[in-house]
Amino acid sequence: MYPNPYAFYRTGTDSQLLKDIEKAVNAEYSAVACYKKMAKMASDPEERKRILEIRRDEMRHLAEFTAIYARLTGKQPSYQMTEECPDEYREAVDYAFKDEQGAVDFYLDIADNAQDPMTKDRFRRAAADEQNHAVWFLSFIKHTDARPAHRQLEDYGARGALNASSLTFPQMLTYAIQDEYLAQARYDDVLATFGNVRTFMQIKEAEMRHINALQPLFQRYQVLVPEDAAASYVTTPENLKAAYAAGVQGEIDNIAMYDRFLSLTIPQDARIVFTQLRNASLNHLAAFERGLARD
């Protein structure tokens, strides 16, 4: 019978170190679950993408720490959620930032106390990852805090145009491109959440052509192109069916907006562009209605 090559680690490892490694395992298990929840709450597609990348790092840490624990103890850890992830996105980001900061020192302490070179290396590498994560979450905090405190969709894009008591031509251009920005942000959100859904990919490309069609009118009539702040108005749908339903409503609003514009006195070149975009939106509406009926 051959001796167990890990017997030394099982008998010679400090009990407090094993408790700390088990705590690290559960911390990573909790982080993986929390960041999945945060990604669904994030309205900014770039932030969502980064959170999912951070989550993949945490999944790797979880696998590595689990292997270390199993090697040192001869048994698998019992995964436990050790902390609750906040239900509000801003609170969750703040929680994640503080948690990542705390993990840096904790993992470095484990590395310092471990005798096993592999354990030392894995926890030092993980500490470096957690420091990078903390920097990203701090940037999310600054980004979120820099946004206006309240985003009222009723004053933006098609809803803003339809709710306005009167409209100047520059306002029409502004509302029109805002609504196209909003469509892009919604589709980016859906694609990031549910994968490469063909209908949304195709319509997203078409909406970009709408933006390109509107931009020359801004230049020609010397109207300032508004900043694209649409991501802050987007809420992630619960499922793909809800995404199609939101697409249907978005196109209905968009068509009504262009109908209102076309009922007013506007330059002929703008009338041509608005008519083309309205007709394209009719096609998009039909595509979303098919998707809604299918799902």
Side-chain angles (χ1 to χ4, degrees), residues 31-43 47-48 51-52 85-86 88-97 137 140 236:
V32 168
C34 184
Y35 296 165
K36 180 180 180 180
K37 180 178 178 179
M38 286 177 61
K40 291 182 178 180
M41 291 191 291
S43 61
E47 289 186 13
R48 182 182 305 105
I51 290 169
L52 291 173
C85 187
E88 297 294 330
Y89 179 69
R90 176 61 175 78
E91 293 179 11
V93 172
D94 189 61
Y95 156 80
F97 168 64
F137 284 124
F140 297 167
T236 301

Short mmCIF file of all heavy atoms in Angstrom, two decimals, residues 31-43 47-48 51-52 85-86 88-97 137 140 236:
data_model
loop_
_atom_site.label_atom_id
_atom_site.label_comp_id
_atom_site.label_asym_id
_atom_site.label_seq_id
_atom_site.Cartn_x
_atom_site.Cartn_y
_atom_site.Cartn_z
N ALA A 31 -20.03 35.23 -3.93
CA ALA A 31 -19.75 36.26 -4.94
C ALA A 31 -20.27 35.83 -6.31
O ALA A 31 -20.81 36.65 -7.06
CB ALA A 31 -18.25 36.54 -5.00
N VAL A 32 -20.09 34.56 -6.65
CA VAL A 32 -20.57 34.06 -7.94
C VAL A 32 -22.08 34.27 -8.06
O VAL A 32 -22.59 34.73 -9.10
CB VAL A 32 -20.21 32.57 -8.11
CG1 VAL A 32 -20.96 31.97 -9.30
CG2 VAL A 32 -18.71 32.40 -8.30
N ALA A 33 -22.81 33.97 -6.98
CA ALA A 33 -24.26 34.15 -7.01
C ALA A 33 -24.63 35.62 -7.05
O ALA A 33 -25.54 36.03 -7.79
CB ALA A 33 -24.88 33.48 -5.77
N CYS A 34 -23.93 36.44 -6.27
CA CYS A 34 -24.25 37.87 -6.20
C CYS A 34 -24.00 38.55 -7.54
O CYS A 34 -24.80 39.37 -7.99
CB CYS A 34 -23.43 38.53 -5.10
SG CYS A 34 -23.82 40.28 -4.85
N TYR A 35 -22.89 38.22 -8.19
CA TYR A 35 -22.56 38.91 -9.43
C TYR A 35 -23.48 38.50 -10.57
O TYR A 35 -23.71 39.28 -11.50
CB TYR A 35 -21.09 38.69 -9.79
CG TYR A 35 -20.14 39.27 -8.76
CD1 TYR A 35 -18.80 38.93 -8.73
CD2 TYR A 35 -20.60 40.18 -7.81
CE1 TYR A 35 -17.94 39.47 -7.79
CE2 TYR A 35 -19.75 40.72 -6.86
CZ TYR A 35 -18.42 40.35 -6.84
OH TYR A 35 -17.59 40.90 -5.91
N LYS A 36 -24.02 37.30 -10.50
CA LYS A 36 -25.06 36.92 -11.47
C LYS A 36 -26.28 37.81 -11.29
O LYS A 36 -26.86 38.31 -12.27
CB LYS A 36 -25.44 35.45 -11.28
CG LYS A 36 -26.52 34.97 -12.24
CD LYS A 36 -26.84 33.50 -12.00
CE LYS A 36 -27.92 33.02 -12.97
NZ LYS A 36 -28.24 31.58 -12.74
N LYS A 37 -26.66 38.04 -10.05
CA LYS A 37 -27.79 38.91 -9.73
C LYS A 37 -27.50 40.34 -10.15
O LYS A 37 -28.36 41.03 -10.73
CB LYS A 37 -28.06 38.84 -8.22
CG LYS A 37 -29.22 39.68 -7.72
CD LYS A 37 -29.41 39.47 -6.22
CE LYS A 37 -30.52 40.32 -5.66
NZ LYS A 37 -30.71 40.09 -4.21
N MET A 38 -26.29 40.82 -9.90
CA MET A 38 -25.93 42.18 -10.26
C MET A 38 -25.94 42.40 -11.77
O MET A 38 -26.36 43.45 -12.25
CB MET A 38 -24.55 42.53 -9.71
CG MET A 38 -24.51 42.76 -8.20
SD MET A 38 -22.84 43.06 -7.60
CE MET A 38 -22.42 44.56 -8.52
N ALA A 39 -25.47 41.40 -12.51
CA ALA A 39 -25.45 41.53 -13.97
C ALA A 39 -26.85 41.71 -14.52
O ALA A 39 -27.06 42.46 -15.48
CB ALA A 39 -24.78 40.30 -14.59
N LYS A 40 -27.83 41.06 -13.91
CA LYS A 40 -29.21 41.21 -14.36
C LYS A 40 -29.75 42.59 -14.02
O LYS A 40 -30.61 43.12 -14.73
CB LYS A 40 -30.08 40.13 -13.72
CG LYS A 40 -29.80 38.72 -14.23
CD LYS A 40 -30.73 37.71 -13.58
CE LYS A 40 -30.49 36.32 -14.13
NZ LYS A 40 -31.39 35.30 -13.51
N MET A 41 -29.26 43.18 -12.93
CA MET A 41 -29.76 44.49 -12.50
C MET A 41 -29.09 45.63 -13.25
O MET A 41 -29.63 46.73 -13.33
CB MET A 41 -29.53 44.68 -11.00
CG MET A 41 -30.39 43.80 -10.12
SD MET A 41 -30.32 44.28 -8.36
CE MET A 41 -28.64 43.82 -7.93
N ALA A 42 -27.89 45.41 -13.79
CA ALA A 42 -27.12 46.49 -14.40
C ALA A 42 -27.82 47.02 -15.65
O ALA A 42 -28.21 46.25 -16.52
CB ALA A 42 -25.72 46.01 -14.76
N SER A 43 -27.99 48.33 -15.73
CA SER A 43 -28.63 48.93 -16.90
C SER A 43 -27.62 49.29 -17.98
O SER A 43 -27.97 49.40 -19.15
CB SER A 43 -29.40 50.20 -16.49
OG SER A 43 -28.52 51.16 -15.94
N GLU A 47 -21.08 47.85 -18.15
CA GLU A 47 -20.93 47.42 -16.76
C GLU A 47 -21.36 45.96 -16.61
O GLU A 47 -20.73 45.18 -15.91
CB GLU A 47 -21.74 48.32 -15.83
CG GLU A 47 -21.15 49.71 -15.67
CD GLU A 47 -21.88 50.56 -14.64
OE1 GLU A 47 -22.67 50.00 -13.86
OE2 GLU A 47 -21.64 51.78 -14.61
N ARG A 48 -22.45 45.60 -17.27
CA ARG A 48 -22.92 44.21 -17.20
C ARG A 48 -21.86 43.26 -17.75
O ARG A 48 -21.58 42.20 -17.16
CB ARG A 48 -24.22 44.04 -17.98
CG ARG A 48 -24.79 42.62 -17.91
CD ARG A 48 -26.05 42.44 -18.72
NE ARG A 48 -27.05 43.41 -18.35
CZ ARG A 48 -27.37 44.47 -19.08
NH1 ARG A 48 -26.77 44.67 -20.25
NH2 ARG A 48 -28.28 45.31 -18.69
N ILE A 51 -19.08 42.94 -15.21
CA ILE A 51 -19.48 42.15 -14.04
C ILE A 51 -19.45 40.66 -14.37
O ILE A 51 -19.00 39.84 -13.55
CB ILE A 51 -20.89 42.57 -13.57
CG1 ILE A 51 -20.85 43.97 -12.95
CG2 ILE A 51 -21.45 41.57 -12.54
CD1 ILE A 51 -22.22 44.58 -12.71
N LEU A 52 -19.88 40.30 -15.56
CA LEU A 52 -19.85 38.89 -15.96
C LEU A 52 -18.41 38.40 -16.10
O LEU A 52 -18.12 37.23 -15.80
CB LEU A 52 -20.62 38.70 -17.26
CG LEU A 52 -22.14 38.89 -17.15
CD1 LEU A 52 -22.79 38.83 -18.53
CD2 LEU A 52 -22.76 37.84 -16.22
N CYS A 85 -26.78 39.34 -1.04
CA CYS A 85 -26.49 40.38 -2.04
C CYS A 85 -27.63 41.39 -2.05
O CYS A 85 -28.81 41.00 -2.12
CB CYS A 85 -26.35 39.73 -3.41
SG CYS A 85 -25.80 40.84 -4.72
N PRO A 86 -27.35 42.69 -1.97
CA PRO A 86 -28.43 43.70 -1.96
C PRO A 86 -29.31 43.61 -3.20
O PRO A 86 -28.87 43.17 -4.27
CB PRO A 86 -27.66 45.02 -1.92
CG PRO A 86 -26.36 44.68 -1.27
CD PRO A 86 -26.02 43.30 -1.77
N GLU A 88 -30.85 46.29 -4.59
CA GLU A 88 -30.69 47.50 -5.40
C GLU A 88 -29.30 47.53 -6.01
O GLU A 88 -28.31 47.25 -5.33
CB GLU A 88 -30.92 48.75 -4.56
CG GLU A 88 -32.32 48.87 -3.98
CD GLU A 88 -33.37 49.06 -5.07
OE1 GLU A 88 -33.02 49.65 -6.12
OE2 GLU A 88 -34.51 48.61 -4.88
N TYR A 89 -29.23 47.90 -7.30
CA TYR A 89 -27.96 47.83 -8.02
C TYR A 89 -26.88 48.70 -7.37
O TYR A 89 -25.75 48.24 -7.16
CB TYR A 89 -28.16 48.25 -9.48
CG TYR A 89 -26.88 48.21 -10.28
CD1 TYR A 89 -26.26 47.00 -10.58
CD2 TYR A 89 -26.28 49.38 -10.74
CE1 TYR A 89 -25.09 46.95 -11.31
CE2 TYR A 89 -25.11 49.34 -11.47
CZ TYR A 89 -24.51 48.13 -11.76
OH TYR A 89 -23.34 48.08 -12.48
N ARG A 90 -27.21 49.96 -7.04
CA ARG A 90 -26.20 50.86 -6.47
C ARG A 90 -25.68 50.31 -5.14
O ARG A 90 -24.47 50.37 -4.88
CB ARG A 90 -26.81 52.26 -6.28
CG ARG A 90 -25.88 53.26 -5.59
CD ARG A 90 -24.61 53.48 -6.41
NE ARG A 90 -23.79 54.51 -5.81
CZ ARG A 90 -23.00 54.35 -4.73
NH1 ARG A 90 -22.96 53.18 -4.14
NH2 ARG A 90 -22.28 55.34 -4.27
N GLU A 91 -26.57 49.77 -4.32
CA GLU A 91 -26.15 49.18 -3.04
C GLU A 91 -25.30 47.93 -3.28
O GLU A 91 -24.33 47.67 -2.55
CB GLU A 91 -27.37 48.83 -2.20
CG GLU A 91 -28.16 50.04 -1.73
CD GLU A 91 -29.38 49.64 -0.93
OE1 GLU A 91 -29.50 48.44 -0.57
OE2 GLU A 91 -30.22 50.51 -0.65
N ALA A 92 -25.66 47.15 -4.30
CA ALA A 92 -24.90 45.93 -4.60
C ALA A 92 -23.49 46.26 -5.06
O ALA A 92 -22.52 45.57 -4.70
CB ALA A 92 -25.63 45.11 -5.68
N VAL A 93 -23.35 47.31 -5.87
CA VAL A 93 -22.02 47.71 -6.33
C VAL A 93 -21.16 48.16 -5.15
O VAL A 93 -19.98 47.81 -5.04
CB VAL A 93 -22.12 48.83 -7.39
CG1 VAL A 93 -20.74 49.40 -7.72
CG2 VAL A 93 -22.78 48.31 -8.66
N ASP A 94 -21.75 48.94 -4.25
CA ASP A 94 -21.03 49.40 -3.07
C ASP A 94 -20.62 48.21 -2.20
O ASP A 94 -19.48 48.16 -1.70
CB ASP A 94 -21.91 50.36 -2.27
CG ASP A 94 -21.16 51.04 -1.14
OD1 ASP A 94 -20.19 51.76 -1.44
OD2 ASP A 94 -21.54 50.87 0.03
N TYR A 95 -21.53 47.27 -2.03
CA TYR A 95 -21.23 46.05 -1.27
C TYR A 95 -20.08 45.28 -1.93
O TYR A 95 -19.15 44.82 -1.24
CB TYR A 95 -22.48 45.18 -1.20
CG TYR A 95 -22.22 43.72 -0.97
CD1 TYR A 95 -21.95 43.22 0.30
CD2 TYR A 95 -22.25 42.82 -2.05
CE1 TYR A 95 -21.70 41.86 0.50
CE2 TYR A 95 -22.01 41.47 -1.85
CZ TYR A 95 -21.73 41.00 -0.58
OH TYR A 95 -21.48 39.67 -0.39
N ALA A 96 -20.13 45.13 -3.25
CA ALA A 96 -19.10 44.37 -3.97
C ALA A 96 -17.74 45.05 -3.85
O ALA A 96 -16.72 44.37 -3.67
CB ALA A 96 -19.50 44.22 -5.44
N PHE A 97 -17.71 46.38 -3.95
CA PHE A 97 -16.46 47.12 -3.83
C PHE A 97 -15.81 46.85 -2.46
O PHE A 97 -14.62 46.53 -2.37
CB PHE A 97 -16.71 48.61 -4.02
CG PHE A 97 -15.56 49.49 -3.64
CD1 PHE A 97 -14.35 49.42 -4.33
CD2 PHE A 97 -15.67 50.39 -2.59
CE1 PHE A 97 -13.27 50.22 -3.98
CE2 PHE A 97 -14.60 51.19 -2.24
CZ PHE A 97 -13.40 51.11 -2.93
N PHE A 137 -15.29 48.09 -9.61
CA PHE A 137 -16.52 48.44 -8.89
C PHE A 137 -16.49 49.89 -8.42
O PHE A 137 -17.53 50.56 -8.41
CB PHE A 137 -16.74 47.49 -7.71
CG PHE A 137 -17.24 46.13 -8.12
CD1 PHE A 137 -16.56 44.98 -7.75
CD2 PHE A 137 -18.39 46.00 -8.88
CE1 PHE A 137 -17.02 43.72 -8.14
CE2 PHE A 137 -18.86 44.75 -9.27
CZ PHE A 137 -18.17 43.61 -8.90
N PHE A 140 -17.62 51.89 -11.27
CA PHE A 140 -19.07 51.81 -11.44
C PHE A 140 -19.76 52.77 -10.48
O PHE A 140 -20.76 53.41 -10.83
CB PHE A 140 -19.57 50.39 -11.17
CG PHE A 140 -19.06 49.34 -12.11
CD1 PHE A 140 -19.22 47.99 -11.81
CD2 PHE A 140 -18.40 49.68 -13.28
CE1 PHE A 140 -18.75 47.01 -12.67
CE2 PHE A 140 -17.91 48.71 -14.14
CZ PHE A 140 -18.09 47.38 -13.83
N THR A 236 -33.55 45.86 -17.54
CA THR A 236 -33.41 44.52 -18.11
C THR A 236 -34.70 43.72 -17.97
O THR A 236 -35.24 43.61 -16.87
CB THR A 236 -32.27 43.76 -17.40
OG1 THR A 236 -31.06 44.49 -17.54
CG2 THR A 236 -32.09 42.37 -18.00
#
